[in-house]
Amino acid sequence: MSRKPNAIIFGGLNTCSRALAALLVPADGAERLVEHLRIVDKYSVAPPTTYLGSVFPEVLKQPNVEYRQANLTVASTVSSCFEPPAGQAPYDYVFDFTGEIQWDRPEAVQITHTFKIARLIGLEAARRKVPAYVRIQHPFYQCKESGSHDEKEDVKPEGVMGTWWHETLRALGAIPDLNLVIVRTALPYGPYVNYHAVVPFIAVAACYGYLKQPMKAVNSPGKYPSHTVHVDDIAGAMWACAEWMAKIGRKEADAIAGEEIPFKNEKSKVDEVEGMVPHNQKVIAPLFNIEDDSKVTLVELGNVIASYFGTTFDFHNFVTNMAAKFRLEDVIEDINEVHVSTWTKMITTSNPPVPNTQFSSYMDVYCLKKRVVAFSADKIKNVVGYTLKRPHFNHETVGEMVEKLKAEHSWPNNDP
Ligand SMILES: *[C@@H]1O[C@H](CO)[C@@H](O)[C@H](O)[C@H]1NC(C)=O
């Protein structure tokens, strides 16, 4: 290709598509990777109806970058999003971050907002023969506590959300000639990331650091994998996979990196949901994990974060002692009481005060549940040749995140 590719990003403003946009079209003057970039999501960006962070609005100001607010449940809308602006070549790369990430939404919402939207985008991308279609897969699984943690390991989709995100991979994988690559991530963190469980965990640690008390967690003794990945590596991996796929196409990609995406749903759903792939149809698609090299356990994760804030990490005895009697749902408010009131104090007495921050130390049941996450990144390193930008989860990477949030006034600054 003599020109740079054109790319379109669907969804994910509330997860990690902003980091990819900033990689493709840096706002700091670094060389851009794409000619034209379109980003499509359901949110408004001016005024913002979701947290955007301070960098993304600068990306949108760059030349040949377009944001479009759209209802992607409508097939004709999806199709129109693929029409490039006048004078531009058709899109070369499609990055699909769409899907509902709130774990407690009903199944019907998951089917419409996760399964259906991705399938519409995938069908349209296949129809237009887009050279690369990269789909994100969040860590909505329970992994095994030990083993190789590679892409062949059998992992269990978690709950309604996990089930439909996984089902979406089958639907996309079954679309003939879709140049699909799936990137499956460990626990995400990094600047301007405000989804999943690591970020509230960091806010809670900040509270206990402020109180000068040990941080207490549930799920003792926490010796299970809680592997992390920096958002820059999620973005980097997705870009690397697009370049890899565009050169070889789906058939060769399946031969080199295809994995079976097993059926994990109820068989009765197949007749109820349009586009669902029958349980006995084998689906193969290129799949790559991405995680950092730290491969931390929950205890190690807690130790890194707590020590960054000058405190220590420990476990709630009352929860572990009573685990047989009480459900997490019943003790959730007790667990949150101290650190939520502390966070409120921190953001209101901060210099400057940041009372409207979208970051919170509230830990919901989903955040607190034991979740084993381990997705070895050996395959993407060996097959695609990807090199991690942020291989370690440590004080430096946690500190970079906190300092950038302080600088945009979305994290409390309570330094004396
Ligand atoms: C999106 O379109 C669907 C189908 O027409 C409609 O039911 C839904 O209300 C729309 N959503 C929004 C936010 O407008």
Side-chain angles (χ1 to χ4, degrees):
M1 222 187 302
S2 55
R3 60 175 176 86
K4 287 180 179 166
N6 287 345
I8 182 164
I9 296 176
F10 286 99
L13 285 198
N14 58 343
T15 59
C16 51
S17 66
R18 288 173 284 117
L20 178 63
L23 172 68
L24 301 188
V25 184
D28 62 5
E31 193 189 344
R32 60 196 282 162
L33 302 178
V34 295
E35 182 80 26
H36 159 73
L37 173 64
R38 173 178 289 163
I39 302 141
V40 186
D41 205 337
K42 65 183 175 189
Y43 301 103
S44 158
V45 293
T49 53
T50 188
Y51 168 71
L52 296 180
S54 54
V55 170
F56 186 66
E58 298 304 314
V59 172
L60 295 184
K61 286 181 198 157
Q62 303 303 309
N64 221 345
V65 174
E66 180 198 300
Y67 182 78
R68 185 180 286 201
Q69 184 178 10
N71 183 343
L72 295 171
T73 63
V74 182
S76 58
T77 304
V78 169
S79 179
S80 69
C81 290
F82 280 79
E83 288 298 330
Q88 289 290 344
Y91 290 100
D92 305 284
Y93 299 167
V94 169
F95 297 97
D96 175 10
F97 292 82
T98 59
E100 176 58 57
I101 58 156
Q102 246 171 281
W103 62 276
D104 55 355
R105 301 304 296 277
E107 183 169 49
V109 172
Q110 281 297 340
I111 292 171
T112 311
H113 289 170
T114 304
F115 181 82
K116 183 180 168 188
I117 288 178
R119 184 166 169 268
L120 288 179
I121 301 170
L123 288 169
E124 188 64 24
R127 196 173 73 76
R128 292 175 186 253
K129 303 192 173 8
V130 172
Y133 183 101
V134 187
R135 166 75 181 174
I136 188 115
Q137 173 62 49
H138 300 297
F140 301 153
Y141 291 98
Q142 286 289 358
C143 299
K144 294 197 159 52
E145 294 205 17
S146 59
S148 64
H149 306 312
D150 64 14
E151 286 80 354
K152 297 202 184 319
E153 200 165 83
D154 188 37
V155 291
K156 189 172 173 288
E158 202 184 23
V160 169
M161 181 171 73
T163 300
W164 286 100
W165 274 79
H166 180 82
E167 194 64 56
T168 302
L169 302 184
R170 279 180 59 84
L172 292 173
I175 297 173
D177 302 326
L178 177 63
N179 291 314
L180 168 71
V181 189
I182 302 159
V183 174
R184 185 170 61 181
T185 86
L187 298 170
Y189 78 103
Y192 321 116
V193 167
N194 197 12
Y195 75 103
H196 218 280
V198 177
V199 179
F201 199 71
I202 294 175
V204 170
C207 293
Y208 287 100
Y210 176 80
L211 292 172
K212 300 190 174 17
Q213 287 174 14
M215 173 174 178
K216 303 261 187 185
V218 295
N219 303 326
S220 168
K223 289 196 174 140
Y224 53 87
S226 300
H227 297 181
T228 51
V229 61
H230 192 284
V231 67
D232 286 354
D233 279 311
I234 299 178
M238 291 188 74
W239 171 254
C241 285
E243 296 232 282
W244 174 78
M245 172 56 90
K247 284 192 202 95
I248 59 175
R250 175 72 180 272
K251 212 175 229 149
E252 194 180 334
D254 275 350
I256 298 169
E259 304 287 351
E260 184 174 357
I261 314 291
F263 185 79
K264 296 284 185 184
N265 215 322
E266 289 165 37
K267 287 181 193 164
S268 64
K269 300 282 177 196
V270 177
D271 292 331
E272 292 169 25
V273 178
E274 189 196 341
M276 233 178 107
V277 180
H279 70 94
N280 54 2
Q281 184 179 329
K282 196 167 173 178
V283 175
I284 306 280
L287 167 67
F288 294 99
N289 295 335
I290 188 72
E291 70 176 15
D292 63 35
D293 291 338
S294 287
K295 301 181 195 297
V296 288
T297 61
L298 180 75
V299 187
E300 289 163 346
L301 178 82
N303 284 339
V304 169
I305 299 171
S307 59
Y308 173 80
F309 292 104
T311 184
T312 55
F313 183 65
D314 201 351
F315 291 94
H316 268 300
N317 285 325
F318 79 91
V319 177
T320 44
N321 294 344
M322 307 238 180
K325 273 194 230 156
F326 287 103
R327 299 181 317 144
L328 209 46
E329 285 83 344
D330 299 326
V331 291
I332 191 91
E333 297 313 322
D334 293 334
I335 290 171
N336 276 289
E337 197 180 327
V338 172
H339 55 249
V340 168
S341 60
T342 305
W343 184 255
T344 303
K345 187 172 171 207
M346 288 168 71
I347 62 178
T348 50
T349 64
S350 159
N351 177 26
V354 292
N356 299 320
T357 177
Q358 307 218 14
F359 290 85
S360 162
S361 65
Y362 186 81
M363 291 269 221
D364 65 14
V365 174
Y366 185 82
C367 284
L368 285 167
K369 246 182 110 174
K370 174 174 174 178
R371 183 168 296 105
V372 182
V373 175
F375 289 123
S376 164
D378 288 352
K379 187 177 163 190
I380 195 170
K381 291 175 184 170
N382 294 333
V383 175
V384 178
Y386 186 68
T387 306
L388 289 168
K389 301 169 193 216
R390 304 306 189 99
H392 302 296
F393 181 84
N394 56 24
H395 282 189
E396 192 187 327
T397 52
V398 172
E400 179 215 10
M401 172 191 148
V402 170
E403 290 308 318
K404 284 188 171 169
L405 297 183
K406 279 184 180 174
E408 67 168 24
H409 304 315
S410 58
W411 194 271
N413 176 20
N414 306 98
D415 297 337

